[in-house]
Amino acid sequence: MLNLVRDALALVYAIGRKSVCAVVGHDFGSPVAAYCALIRPDVFRSVALMSAHFDGPPPISETEEVDMAAGLAALSPPKKHYQHYYCTPDANAEMLEPDTGLPDFLRTYFHVKSADWASNKPFVLNGWTPDELARMPSYYVMGMDDSMPEAIRQHAPTRSEIDACRWLTQNDLEVYVEEFGRTGFQGGLNWYRCSFLPDHQNELRLFAGRTIEVPSCFIGGANDWGVYQSPGALERMQRSACTDMRLVELVDGAGHWVQQEKTCEVVQLLTTFLKGYCAFET
């Protein structure tokens, strides 16, 4: 994570600036943006977090972790969390070369995490327990023996749903297919692998107790399970992790890809947030 913050800082200096009005991050980019603002508030003068919460650095003293992998595996039928799956050696090849082909896999993956999939109706979980996590869709808590393509295959969009999708055109999809076909997924999957290393958490404990004090906001999709996957995290973000939270908005009709599904609404929310305190430079 600190390497990623260092990259963002280097980019600011590379474009000839010593600070920027805001840093914006979506999904795994959200904690990167959060740590940018937490560690260098003099450079990143505000932060917009999207679709993934930030509830603060890990505490200085290690707490007893729930062995969620073992707990999910003990369910009947046995399950596994998608983040653990992404850490496995086979995940890249299984997603890159699924039986139905890369275009169908990517189209289905975008679909099931969007508001277009009618079954995306998230709710607050009662706790961080295997039974509660198993209530989430199969793209979060998968069958023990499933690959990601197998976990979501039954939810593939119909021809009419594909034709009705305006936020992911066929041309867009072809770009993703070409690029992921060229690079594979391993670069992104390594982010998950790193996040489970003990040294990763230990490194971030350097900032235990520190809060984000610059103006902040959170934008997510009302149909995004990612907002609810960690019980209580959204509340902790507003209550303690961010001391100057200006805006929290869950956009109707959007799932995980909120900035694609509801582009105009997201741009308006970001503009409102920035105009609230930041003098734009010409």
Side-chain angles (χ1 to χ4, degrees):
M1 186 62 70
L2 299 190
N3 286 341
L4 299 170
V5 173
R6 187 179 296 111
D7 287 344
L9 182 64
L11 177 60
V12 171
Y13 278 81
I15 62 176
R17 302 295 298 272
K18 292 186 177 180
S19 68
V20 290
C21 187
V23 56
V24 183
H26 175 260
D27 193 270
F28 226 137
S30 179
V32 177
Y35 274 104
C36 284
L38 184 142
I39 296 169
R40 291 302 303 268
D42 57 319
V43 176
F44 303 98
R45 292 180 284 131
S46 73
V47 59
L49 310 175
M50 297 176 60
S51 300
H53 66 274
F54 177 74
D55 56 354
I60 195 68
S61 58
E62 295 190 33
T63 56
E64 185 175 348
E65 295 287 336
V66 175
D67 189 345
M68 190 55 67
L72 290 172
L75 296 175
S76 182
K79 303 282 187 178
K80 64 187 175 189
H81 197 278
Y82 81 100
Q83 292 187 2
H84 290 103
Y85 168 73
Y86 283 164
C87 295
T88 63
D90 297 329
N92 178 63
E94 289 175 346
M95 293 194 294
L96 195 60
E97 300 175 352
D99 292 342
T100 57
L102 183 57
D104 282 351
F105 165 60
L106 285 177
R107 171 65 77 176
T108 301
Y109 193 70
F110 276 109
H111 175 73
V112 298
K113 297 193 73 171
S114 75
D116 292 355
W117 189 44
S119 295
N120 271 334
K121 297 179 180 178
F123 50 84
V124 176
L125 299 176
N126 293 322
W128 182 252
T129 65
D131 287 333
E132 283 298 295
L133 263 61
R135 301 171 71 189
M136 292 195 291
S138 60
Y139 58 83
Y140 271 100
V141 177
M142 311 160 60
M144 178 58 74
D145 296 327
D146 286 344
S147 66
M148 183 59 77
E150 291 168 340
I152 64 174
R153 183 175 298 165
Q154 61 180 317
H155 307 306
T158 63
R159 183 72 256 173
S160 61
E161 288 174 324
I162 293 173
D163 292 341
C165 181
R166 296 290 177 264
W167 58 270
L168 181 63
T169 67
Q170 185 60 32
N171 287 339
D172 292 337
L173 181 64
E174 289 172 0
V175 171
Y176 292 129
V177 170
E178 180 178 355
E179 287 304 297
F180 281 122
R182 180 177 64 85
T183 66
F185 296 103
Q186 194 61 61
L189 297 178
N190 286 345
W191 288 40
Y192 291 93
R193 296 178 72 183
C194 287
S195 68
F196 282 98
L197 295 175
D199 284 351
H200 179 268
Q201 291 295 95
N202 290 335
E203 184 178 57
L204 296 179
R205 285 192 174 94
L206 176 64
F207 307 100
R210 187 170 176 84
T211 58
I212 294 177
E213 297 178 356
V214 298
S216 58
C217 74
F218 180 82
I219 300 170
N223 296 77
D224 183 10
W225 262 106
V227 176
Y228 300 95
Q229 65 173 312
S230 182
L234 187 64
E235 292 76 18
R236 289 192 297 273
M237 180 181 66
Q238 299 175 70
R239 184 177 64 247
S240 58
C242 300
T243 63
D244 191 8
M245 182 67 76
R246 303 285 182 96
L247 179 152
V248 175
E249 188 75 26
L250 300 182
V251 180
D252 288 334
H256 186 65
W257 325 104
V258 59
Q259 75 277 22
Q260 293 167 268
E261 296 176 67
K262 294 293 180 180
T263 303
C264 293
E265 289 85 343
V266 169
V267 170
Q268 183 59 55
L269 288 168
L270 288 173
T271 302
T272 299
F273 168 63
L274 293 170
K275 282 184 175 180
Y277 69 92
C278 184
F280 290 92
E281 300 177 11
T282 57

